[in-house]
Amino acid sequence: MRTFADIPALLLAVAAAQEGLLSAEQCDRHGVGSARRSRLVRAGRWMAVTRGVVDTIVVPLRERTVADVPVGALPPLSRSDDAEASRSVRALRTAHRALSSADVVLEHRRRRKAWVGMLAFGPAATAVGTNALALHGVEGLPVDLRSEAALPHASDRVDRPGALLRQFDDGMTTVPFGDRRTGERQIASVDWAIAQAVPELPMAHGLAVLDSALRLEVLDRAGLALAHDHARGRRGVALRHELWDLADPRAESALESFGRWGCIEEGVPPDDLQLPVHAPSGRLLGVADMVWHLPGSRLLVAEMDGRAWHEGDERADHRDRDRDNDFAADPRIDLLRFDARHVRARTVGTQVRAFLGAARSRVNTGSGSNTGLGSY
């Protein structure tokens, strides 16, 4: 039986920082040459990703669990950059919140795609577009990203299987990313990454990305306007100009952004987001995700139930349940609850539109109903 020499600990530390990935250059530097890498891949101990890149995690990407995510991976830049001192307590809490196991795996999958692109094209490669946003910690991205990177100077390199080499934008600014294990690399600044990504993203994801950038305060309104200027003239942006106007930091999660976009598509955008709702006594019942004001001082409240956000957090789960019960017990409030299933089925907007249509019909006919919507 063939035995394998131990992989150098320093090389494994580099892999951990890079979501389990290594470049051929990094392996060579630590004494793991091409022949040895080939043996490790044939033996199923490592996995080939694309030319010049291997994965030290052999579990298929879609089958990975939180136990497979490397301990010590570089955190998103938005959680560790020097700009934290200027960010609000709310933004910092959002950036540093504990993630559910499911979200840890999803972030790993997104950031891994960014590392594939950078490692495939060498130390000078810059992560751009959605890949850069994943490394910045911006939320709302699709799970399965395309690995893409750019080089700052003209190059005769071409795409590699699973990794796209993009043109480096004239005037694009970059920020450093990396540590002693990886060496300093460059990724597109948030404004440029948004300009590159949003014109190519589905509308719901584009809105979620813009909401997230404001919520995390990695960009302010002026920075978002600058990103919009960078994006002008790109293919796809003409259909997405409205997203910049709709961006709202009050959306507390990508799921809420997706639900809101579904309502916008159906012509029933919410009147308010994250609205504090009080009982007649003045007691705060809770903060409603999306609100529509109805005649007679009534409210339609739509709650986006992001169970994944509270996985393992029993207190948060109970808090949401108590808030929903308080809403449901108040005769002035009509409550609709949605989760990721409704977003995937694209039924959030249609259900809200149907409810509002029925409410208007009852008002016009003066008929009563068990919900009290006839007593305006």
Side-chain angles (χ1 to χ4, degrees), residues 19 24 44 48 59 73 93 114-115 130 132 135 164 186 204 206-207 223 268-269 271 287 290 343 370:
E19 306 296 338
V59 177
R93 284 177 177 170
W115 275 109
T130 57
L135 296 178
L164 174 67
Q186 296 294 314
L207 179 61
V268 285
D271 297 321
V287 179
M290 295 189 290
V343 169
N370 292 333

Short mmCIF file of all heavy atoms in Angstrom, two decimals, residues 19 24 44 48 59 73 93 114-115 130 132 135 164 186 204 206-207 223 268-269 271 287 290 343 370:
data_model
loop_
_atom_site.label_atom_id
_atom_site.label_comp_id
_atom_site.label_asym_id
_atom_site.label_seq_id
_atom_site.Cartn_x
_atom_site.Cartn_y
_atom_site.Cartn_z
N GLU A 19 -10.03 28.87 1.62
CA GLU A 19 -11.19 27.99 1.47
C GLU A 19 -10.80 26.60 1.01
O GLU A 19 -11.56 25.92 0.31
CB GLU A 19 -12.22 28.60 0.52
CG GLU A 19 -12.65 30.01 0.89
CD GLU A 19 -13.37 30.11 2.23
OE1 GLU A 19 -13.91 29.09 2.71
OE2 GLU A 19 -13.38 31.21 2.82
N ALA A 24 -0.65 25.78 -7.90
CA ALA A 24 0.55 24.99 -8.16
C ALA A 24 1.79 25.73 -7.68
O ALA A 24 2.71 25.12 -7.12
CB ALA A 24 0.64 24.70 -9.66
N GLY A 44 -7.27 10.37 -4.45
CA GLY A 44 -8.50 10.92 -3.86
C GLY A 44 -8.27 11.73 -2.61
O GLY A 44 -9.22 12.05 -1.89
N ALA A 48 -8.55 17.99 -8.22
CA ALA A 48 -8.20 18.99 -9.22
C ALA A 48 -9.41 19.88 -9.48
O ALA A 48 -10.54 19.39 -9.64
CB ALA A 48 -7.75 18.31 -10.51
N VAL A 59 -14.66 16.57 -0.55
CA VAL A 59 -16.12 16.45 -0.54
C VAL A 59 -16.68 17.32 -1.66
O VAL A 59 -16.30 18.49 -1.79
CB VAL A 59 -16.69 16.91 0.82
CG1 VAL A 59 -18.22 16.85 0.81
CG2 VAL A 59 -16.13 16.08 1.96
N ALA A 73 -10.23 30.27 7.62
CA ALA A 73 -10.38 30.95 6.33
C ALA A 73 -10.40 32.46 6.55
O ALA A 73 -10.88 32.95 7.58
CB ALA A 73 -11.66 30.49 5.64
N ARG A 93 -22.77 45.15 14.02
CA ARG A 93 -23.45 43.97 14.55
C ARG A 93 -23.90 43.05 13.42
O ARG A 93 -23.82 41.82 13.53
CB ARG A 93 -24.65 44.39 15.40
CG ARG A 93 -24.28 44.94 16.77
CD ARG A 93 -25.51 45.41 17.51
NE ARG A 93 -25.18 45.88 18.85
CZ ARG A 93 -26.02 46.52 19.64
NH1 ARG A 93 -27.27 46.77 19.22
NH2 ARG A 93 -25.64 46.91 20.84
N ALA A 114 -14.27 32.73 -5.68
CA ALA A 114 -13.40 33.88 -5.85
C ALA A 114 -11.93 33.47 -5.79
O ALA A 114 -11.10 33.94 -6.57
CB ALA A 114 -13.69 34.93 -4.78
N TRP A 115 -11.61 32.56 -4.88
CA TRP A 115 -10.22 32.09 -4.77
C TRP A 115 -9.80 31.28 -6.00
O TRP A 115 -8.65 31.35 -6.43
CB TRP A 115 -10.03 31.27 -3.49
CG TRP A 115 -9.76 32.12 -2.30
CD1 TRP A 115 -10.59 32.37 -1.24
CD2 TRP A 115 -8.55 32.86 -2.03
NE1 TRP A 115 -9.99 33.21 -0.34
CE2 TRP A 115 -8.73 33.53 -0.80
CE3 TRP A 115 -7.36 33.02 -2.71
CZ2 TRP A 115 -7.75 34.35 -0.23
CZ3 TRP A 115 -6.37 33.84 -2.17
CH2 TRP A 115 -6.58 34.49 -0.94
N THR A 130 -18.94 39.72 -8.87
CA THR A 130 -19.56 39.00 -7.76
C THR A 130 -18.51 38.35 -6.87
O THR A 130 -18.72 38.23 -5.66
CB THR A 130 -20.51 37.91 -8.30
OG1 THR A 130 -19.78 37.01 -9.15
CG2 THR A 130 -21.68 38.52 -9.05
N ALA A 132 -15.52 39.53 -6.06
CA ALA A 132 -15.03 40.55 -5.14
C ALA A 132 -16.07 40.86 -4.07
O ALA A 132 -15.74 41.03 -2.88
CB ALA A 132 -14.66 41.82 -5.90
N LEU A 135 -15.96 38.41 -1.30
CA LEU A 135 -14.83 38.63 -0.40
C LEU A 135 -15.02 39.87 0.46
O LEU A 135 -14.44 39.97 1.55
CB LEU A 135 -13.53 38.73 -1.20
CG LEU A 135 -13.14 37.46 -1.96
CD1 LEU A 135 -11.87 37.69 -2.76
CD2 LEU A 135 -12.98 36.26 -1.03
N LEU A 164 -13.05 32.37 -15.54
CA LEU A 164 -13.14 33.33 -16.62
C LEU A 164 -12.18 34.48 -16.37
O LEU A 164 -12.15 35.07 -15.28
CB LEU A 164 -14.57 33.88 -16.72
CG LEU A 164 -14.82 35.01 -17.71
CD1 LEU A 164 -14.65 34.51 -19.14
CD2 LEU A 164 -16.22 35.59 -17.51
N GLN A 186 -5.14 41.64 -4.47
CA GLN A 186 -6.00 42.79 -4.72
C GLN A 186 -7.38 42.32 -5.16
O GLN A 186 -7.50 41.35 -5.92
CB GLN A 186 -5.39 43.69 -5.79
CG GLN A 186 -4.06 44.33 -5.41
CD GLN A 186 -4.22 45.33 -4.28
OE1 GLN A 186 -5.13 46.16 -4.29
NE2 GLN A 186 -3.31 45.26 -3.31
N ALA A 204 -33.70 40.48 -8.58
CA ALA A 204 -33.86 40.31 -7.13
C ALA A 204 -32.50 40.30 -6.44
O ALA A 204 -32.32 40.90 -5.37
CB ALA A 204 -34.63 39.03 -6.82
N GLY A 206 -29.74 41.64 -7.63
CA GLY A 206 -29.17 42.97 -7.74
C GLY A 206 -29.66 43.89 -6.65
O GLY A 206 -28.87 44.63 -6.03
N LEU A 207 -30.97 43.87 -6.37
CA LEU A 207 -31.52 44.69 -5.30
C LEU A 207 -30.96 44.26 -3.95
O LEU A 207 -30.60 45.09 -3.12
CB LEU A 207 -33.05 44.60 -5.29
CG LEU A 207 -33.74 45.41 -4.20
CD1 LEU A 207 -33.44 46.90 -4.33
CD2 LEU A 207 -35.26 45.16 -4.21
N GLY A 223 -21.35 56.69 -2.42
CA GLY A 223 -20.60 55.58 -3.01
C GLY A 223 -21.45 54.75 -3.94
O GLY A 223 -20.97 54.26 -4.97
N VAL A 268 -47.04 46.17 -6.11
CA VAL A 268 -47.50 46.47 -4.75
C VAL A 268 -46.29 46.65 -3.82
O VAL A 268 -46.11 45.91 -2.85
CB VAL A 268 -48.44 45.36 -4.21
CG1 VAL A 268 -49.80 45.45 -4.86
CG2 VAL A 268 -47.83 43.97 -4.42
N PRO A 269 -45.43 47.64 -4.10
CA PRO A 269 -44.28 47.85 -3.22
C PRO A 269 -44.74 48.20 -1.82
O PRO A 269 -45.77 48.86 -1.64
CB PRO A 269 -43.54 49.02 -3.88
CG PRO A 269 -44.60 49.75 -4.64
CD PRO A 269 -45.53 48.68 -5.14
N ASP A 271 -45.21 50.08 1.73
CA ASP A 271 -45.19 51.49 2.11
C ASP A 271 -44.06 51.78 3.10
O ASP A 271 -43.54 52.90 3.13
CB ASP A 271 -46.53 51.88 2.75
CG ASP A 271 -47.69 51.75 1.79
OD1 ASP A 271 -47.51 52.07 0.60
OD2 ASP A 271 -48.77 51.30 2.22
N VAL A 287 -41.19 45.05 15.35
CA VAL A 287 -40.79 45.80 14.16
C VAL A 287 -41.14 44.95 12.95
O VAL A 287 -40.63 43.83 12.79
CB VAL A 287 -39.29 46.13 14.19
CG1 VAL A 287 -38.89 46.89 12.93
CG2 VAL A 287 -38.94 46.93 15.44
N MET A 290 -42.21 44.29 6.39
CA MET A 290 -42.81 45.09 5.31
C MET A 290 -44.24 45.43 5.73
O MET A 290 -44.95 44.59 6.29
CB MET A 290 -42.82 44.32 3.99
CG MET A 290 -41.44 44.03 3.43
SD MET A 290 -41.48 43.35 1.73
CE MET A 290 -42.14 41.70 2.02
N VAL A 343 -40.36 32.68 -1.73
CA VAL A 343 -39.46 33.44 -2.60
C VAL A 343 -39.11 32.61 -3.82
O VAL A 343 -39.16 33.09 -4.96
CB VAL A 343 -38.19 33.86 -1.83
CG1 VAL A 343 -37.14 34.41 -2.79
CG2 VAL A 343 -38.54 34.90 -0.77
N ASN A 370 -64.53 38.67 8.34
CA ASN A 370 -64.01 38.18 9.60
C ASN A 370 -62.71 38.84 9.99
O ASN A 370 -62.31 38.82 11.15
CB ASN A 370 -63.81 36.65 9.53
CG ASN A 370 -65.13 35.92 9.44
OD1 ASN A 370 -66.15 36.44 9.91
ND2 ASN A 370 -65.11 34.75 8.82
#
